[in-house]
Amino acid sequence: MSQSENSTIVPPPEALGSAVDTTSASYVRRRDANVDRLQRVLERLSEIKRGGGDKRIEREHSRGKLTARERVARLVDTGDAFYELGAFVAEGMYEDEGGCPAGGTVMGLGRVSGRLCMIVANDATVKAGAWFPITAKKNLRAQEIALENRCPIIYLVDSAGVYLPMQDEIFPDKEHFGRIFRNNAVLSSKGVPQIAAIMGSCVAGGAYLPIMSDEALIVDGTGSVFLAGPFLVKAAIGEEVDVQTLGGAETHSEISGVTDYRMPNDETCIDTIRELIGRLGPRDSAHFERSPSVAPAFPADELLGVIPAGGSQPYAMEDLLARIIDRNTWIPYKSDYGRTIVTGYARIDGWSVGIVANERSVVKNAAGEMQVGGVIYSDSADKAARFVMNCNQKRIPLVFVQDVTGFMVGTRAEHGGIIKDGAKLVNAVANSVVPKFTVIVGNSYGAGNYAMCGKAYDPRLILAWPSARIAVMGGAQAAKTLLQIQVAKLKKSGQEISQADQIAMLAEIEERYRSQSSPEYAAARLWVDEIIDPRATRDWLSLGIELADMNPEIPPFNAGVIQT
């Protein structure tokens, strides 16, 4: 039977996207704007990596200690990358407290003795490693990633404990400090290896973290662990005792038996962790399908000239994807239907994936009507939901590429059942059991954020480009809406608002909204795991799938009740 006689035959993989003129004015304009954005992010990242500053770094060195970042660099295999997560956590927050760069914690993924691990290191140069509310959220995210991927987790502990002036925001609730130790227990029950090194202070409730790990190392002379320090002991029971006698390496290695390994210095401690990780036994995996890697059809550097400088400008999503996926591996799914969402099968660094991405060009639907790019219509929601369910049936990881302004609104859309079709997509994404990964390349507005697997829908990793914008709606619409509310409120109280005052108010609202929808604002609050260089997207996604492959458990897929 010929292919023309049987339309169910899957077509061979095809080329995706097109070449771009890198000398054109539009390309150069886009590239320059995105390079500028990226440079600002990298410059701020460089400042964040200095932690509490040079003087505090020198103080750690004078005590014979490595800094958190120096410890991580020694721990990760030589020549291998450390993929930092949450570097922008707390950015712009806690300014009244003197700031808290990276939330006082270095966190990320790296290979240790060849094994991919989650690494969490307290930064003692930032408020002596004290835990702010966002620090707890960041540590919980590290444990969440380790748990859902069955990834070994290494804690490098050096913390003064809870930041007491904000204890009411970190202590008792479900997502607060105590959840850390609950997660220690759950990780252990699932067989996820946990190794903790006490390389500085480890006080009060924080003492449970290393001791609830599988194995605990302690550094002689600098490491200490106790439920109450010398000052509190004296206040509570009148006993006078020094730090090392109370909870130092000798005490816990020779008397209490609390720790397992006594280390002479930071360097030996880290080298020992590498040995311990290197002796972990073999583990099963999910066995996600992977072929030999093939380079994309076009260079990743061109991504900076593909994505527009402004969030309202159109571009072809296929041109963007063609610079990320393996060459000639694209199999489009329902390419002529629901065209404001692109769906299809591809490979990324050899890994088989399903891709769901918002089309940003203006496209024509089956009725010949023009549809605005970035908007989810009923037909595109219906298509994407079906594709997500197919990937779950086939056990294929999903990659969502967001540049979405939301769902279509208006009488025609409502009468056509946009809420029903949108709910269908949200349902499929929410109940998806295969690993999901989300990259926000442009807009991420309103319910579009949800339907395209925003943070609330459990992506294994959620990453943002410097061009990302995350908010309940676009800035212009939001500012005008907020202005109308403020003007109405002032008029109700009897105040007259001049046109000039309204223009000034609108400008102020727009600036505030612009700041709150920036990728830095989102990353500070862990709405995204990291702001990444667009050119590294392929590497991040490959790493994420490799990480997800470590967990062999994939439950059955059940979408529940879906309206049709």
Side-chain angles (χ1 to χ4, degrees):
M1 183 180 292
S2 69
Q3 185 166 328
S4 61
E5 293 172 314
N6 186 353
S7 61
T8 64
I9 293 177
V10 176
E14 61 183 50
L16 180 71
S18 59
V20 295
D21 180 1
T22 58
T23 64
S24 69
S26 62
Y27 178 91
V28 171
R29 184 171 57 252
R30 291 179 175 190
R31 182 201 61 201
D32 290 350
N34 286 308
V35 167
D36 183 59
R37 282 176 179 159
L38 179 59
Q39 188 59 38
R40 290 199 300 270
V41 167
L42 294 176
E43 287 173 0
R44 184 56 200 146
L45 182 60
S46 179
E47 285 295 308
I48 289 169
K49 288 183 176 181
R50 293 178 60 247
D54 294 339
K55 288 185 177 179
R56 294 187 178 180
I57 291 172
E58 290 171 9
R59 187 175 64 182
E60 292 301 295
H61 289 166
S62 71
R63 295 173 175 175
K65 297 166 63 178
L66 300 174
T67 66
R69 292 186 181 278
E70 290 167 343
R71 289 166 176 168
V72 171
R74 186 180 181 96
L75 181 61
V76 174
D77 291 351
T78 302
D80 204 71
F82 175 63
Y83 290 81
E84 185 166 359
L85 299 167
F88 286 86
V89 160
E91 180 71 1
M93 302 169 65
Y94 310 123
E95 295 303 314
D96 292 343
E97 307 294 331
C100 184
T105 302
V106 180
M107 171 183 105
L109 296 160
R111 287 183 177 80
V112 178
S113 296
R115 187 75 66 110
L116 190 58
C117 296
M118 170 60 71
I119 301 168
V120 184
N122 300 123
D123 187 349
T125 71
V126 179
K127 293 288 192 297
W131 288 53
F132 283 67
I134 199 69
T135 312
K137 186 175 182 180
K138 183 171 179 177
N139 279 260
L140 287 168
R141 178 59 176 154
Q143 290 182 318
E144 179 183 35
I145 291 171
L147 181 60
E148 62 191 0
N149 296 291
R150 302 297 191 264
C151 171
I153 183 166
I154 300 167
Y155 309 99
L156 305 180
V157 185
D158 192 347
S159 171
V162 168
Y163 185 63
L164 289 177
M166 305 184 80
Q167 63 84 26
D168 61 320
E169 298 179 45
I170 188 174
F171 170 63
D173 210 346
K174 180 179 178 181
E175 300 302 326
H176 283 177
F177 193 60
R179 187 78 170 183
I180 300 288
F181 320 127
R182 175 264 186 194
N183 286 352
N184 281 134
V186 172
L187 283 159
S188 182
S189 74
K190 300 293 186 182
V192 179
Q194 299 177 86
I195 295 176
I198 302 163
M199 310 184 80
S201 298
C202 188
V203 186
Y208 287 107
L209 185 147
I211 311 311
M212 293 187 72
S213 299
D214 299 337
E215 295 180 289
L217 304 85
I218 187 167
V219 178
D220 212 346
T222 55
S224 60
V225 56
F226 32 63
L227 294 180
F231 292 117
L232 184 54
V233 168
K234 184 173 182 180
I237 63 174
E239 179 185 359
E240 292 193 11
V241 62
D242 64 81
V243 168
Q244 290 301 314
T245 301
L246 182 63
E250 182 177 347
T251 293
H252 287 309
S253 298
E254 297 184 11
I255 301 171
S256 72
V258 165
T259 55
D260 304 303
Y261 305 95
R262 182 178 178 181
M263 300 285 105
N265 51 48
D266 279 12
E267 291 83 357
T268 305
C269 183
I270 291 169
D271 292 346
T272 303
I273 295 172
R274 288 182 49 79
E275 285 290 329
L276 293 171
I277 292 292
R279 295 168 194 244
L280 292 175
R283 301 265 168 162
D284 196 5
S285 73
H287 301 292
F288 293 124
E289 207 277 327
R290 190 180 196 185
S291 296
S293 178
V294 177
F298 306 100
D301 281 350
E302 293 181 356
L303 287 168
L304 295 174
V306 169
I307 193 82
S312 61
Q313 298 174 18
Y315 64 95
M317 176 55 70
E318 291 187 350
D319 286 343
L320 185 152
L321 295 177
R323 287 151 179 86
I324 296 173
I325 70 170
D326 292 16
R327 181 178 63 256
N328 293 336
T329 62
W330 178 249
I331 300 178
Y333 176 82
K334 291 183 182 288
S335 58
D336 296 324
Y337 174 70
R339 295 180 63 195
T340 63
I341 289 185
V342 175
T343 51
Y345 302 102
R347 292 187 183 276
I348 294 177
D349 196 22
W351 294 104
S352 173
V353 298
I355 294 177
V356 182
N358 302 111
E359 176 57 78
R360 282 311 309 257
S361 298
V362 177
V363 297
K364 188 181 292 186
N365 66 14
E369 302 163 328
M370 303 308 294
Q371 294 183 325
V372 179
V375 177
I376 302 176
Y377 292 79
S378 283
D379 54 356
S380 50
D382 174 67
K383 175 178 81 170
R386 176 63 179 259
F387 182 71
V388 167
M389 290 188 280
N390 273 347
C391 287
N392 276 271
Q393 287 287 89
K394 297 177 179 182
R395 295 295 190 260
I396 297 175
L398 282 157
V399 174
F400 293 83
V401 183
Q402 287 197 13
D403 193 346
V404 57
T405 54
F407 284 86
M408 189 59 190
V409 298
T411 304
R412 184 173 180 180
E414 297 293 357
H415 291 183
I418 187 67
I419 296 176
K420 177 185 65 177
D421 290 315
K424 189 187 305 182
L425 176 54
V426 169
N427 187 313
V429 173
N431 286 303
S432 180
V433 295
V434 295
K436 305 185 292 278
F437 303 91
T438 301
V439 184
I440 303 174
V441 302
N443 300 321
S444 179
Y445 293 155
N449 171 281
Y450 303 157
M452 292 293 294
C453 197
K455 183 66 181 290
Y457 290 79
D458 301 317
R460 298 291 179 98
L461 291 175
I462 179 167
L463 309 164
W465 287 8
S467 50
R469 310 294 297 179
I470 304 167
V472 73
M473 65 176 71
Q477 302 96 309
K480 290 175 183 176
T481 302
L482 290 169
L483 177 65
Q484 291 173 16
I485 293 170
Q486 286 195 22
V487 169
K489 186 184 295 185
L490 291 169
K491 286 183 176 179
K492 191 174 181 180
S493 64
Q495 299 183 50
E496 287 297 324
I497 310 300
S498 69
Q499 188 65 28
D501 287 340
Q502 289 190 38
I503 292 172
M505 289 170 63
L506 182 63
E508 181 183 346
I509 293 169
E510 285 180 336
E511 177 55 36
R512 184 172 68 248
Y513 203 85
R514 186 161 42 248
S515 172
Q516 292 178 353
S517 61
S518 71
E520 292 88 351
Y521 192 92
R525 290 152 183 81
L526 270 176
W527 301 345
V528 297
D529 290 316
E530 192 58 56
I531 304 171
I532 66 168
D533 184 332
R535 296 167 295 186
T537 303
R538 175 180 166 90
D539 295 335
W540 274 97
L541 291 172
S542 178
L543 177 86
I545 302 169
E546 178 188 346
L547 180 71
D549 197 49
M550 297 168 70
N551 184 355
E553 298 178 14
I554 302 178
F557 174 66
N558 185 349
V561 176
I562 294 183
Q563 292 190 33
T564 57

